[in-house]
Amino acid sequence: MPLDPLTMLTLSVALAAAAALYLAIEWRSIREPSLLFWSAGFATISVGSTLALLRSSGFLLIGIWFANGLLVTAHFLFLLGVARFTQTRLSRGWWLIFLAWLAMLVLPDGPIWSKVMLLANSLLVALSTLRASFLLRPHGKSLSVGAGQLRYVLLAHGVFYLAKALTAVIPGTLIDLAALRGEIIQISLVEGAMAIMLIALSMTGTERYRREKQIARLAARDPLTALYNRRALEVRAPRLFEDVCATRPGALLLIDIDNFKPVNDLHGHTAGDRLLVALSEMIRAHLPEAALAARLGGDEFVILLKHASTERVTRLGNALREQFQQTAAYTFTTPEPVTLSIGATLFDQPPASLAALIEQGDAALYASKRGGRDRIRLIDRTLAGGESMPDRVQR
């Protein structure tokens, strides 16, 4: 089958319709607004390419002006989808694109009509496409693999339309939109079919990659406090342990809330949840750089430090303990004060496992509870410390 203009338009209709359907199916499972905009954009291209076929039957207003207007609309929808994906707010001035296209209706018939129409159409498409590519530019690192691919596909597509606009001002160039004659028109139809495939694949990969990252991030987080869960901590802890040595000890702080049950019994589980969230925010605020924090479950939390020392551990534990006590006392009335007990262990050799290290912290936490609560108990397992268990902080 020869790749004549009508064949290429028919192929574009089929490709755009397939892309619109595929992105719509993806949207039904992912529910990302950007996919809906992109699906609508391809559906608009499919309709516009179908109407473009009518110019061969003499329907020039529908087949040229209206069909190309839909092409401009489709690329504007692509821009809206990219804006939603990058969480960027577009200015209202972008809607002037449609006013500019409406102005094409007043063009008088004449030998340069096709060139002016091609010039306006190409510039408006290039404007939306290049802006979408600019929104996907890397910020320190690319938004995702798919987003990077989409950025460059849109960039190439926009540059092509800029070059297409330049051909319209070259004297002697044959451009006949009514009969689809002219070398640039032939090239544009081929580029359009290729762009539909590449843009659709890039858009699907972009949202799928981000969705997978979101799922992975949610799976690693405690749903209430947004700190790491135990499974995520087990994955990340070995990297921290690799840096532990005699000159750079590590530390674990196991934190438990004293008298937490009366908060739930007297004020309800919602109040208990608020207290857990408050403690997680304190931990996040005091967490040193490169440290890890997680909620193990219930009212038990853990912090892993690198480049630790006795002073650093006790200073962090004290800060959390004092701030939490003030917050709990101000927020909830209970028969006994709601406080923190902290068991800490300092080590200068990578532990056999995170579970083994937590067991050591649990021993220190038990000593803290037995010693009267509202305090931190430290086990120093470094060579310098010799596994002594002094009370590092008193009430």
Side-chain angles (χ1 to χ4, degrees), residues 153-186:
V153 171
L154 290 174
L155 179 62
H157 191 55
V159 169
F160 173 81
Y161 268 86
L162 277 181
K164 184 178 172 182
L166 291 176
T167 63
V169 298
I170 298 176
T173 305
L174 174 60
I175 297 173
D176 186 351
L177 294 178
L180 290 170
R181 289 192 303 127
E183 187 174 351
I184 186 60
I185 296 176
Q186 308 288 329

Side-chain angles (χ1 to χ4, degrees), residues 104-114:
M104 296 296 102
L105 278 175
V106 302
L107 283 176
D109 292 335
I112 66 167
W113 182 86
S114 285

Side-chain angles (χ1 to χ4, degrees), residues 7-21 45-46 49-50 196:
T7 300
M8 291 306 303
L9 279 172
T10 303
L11 182 60
S12 295
V13 171
L15 289 173
L21 180 61
I45 289 177
S46 183
S49 297
T50 302
I196 288 172

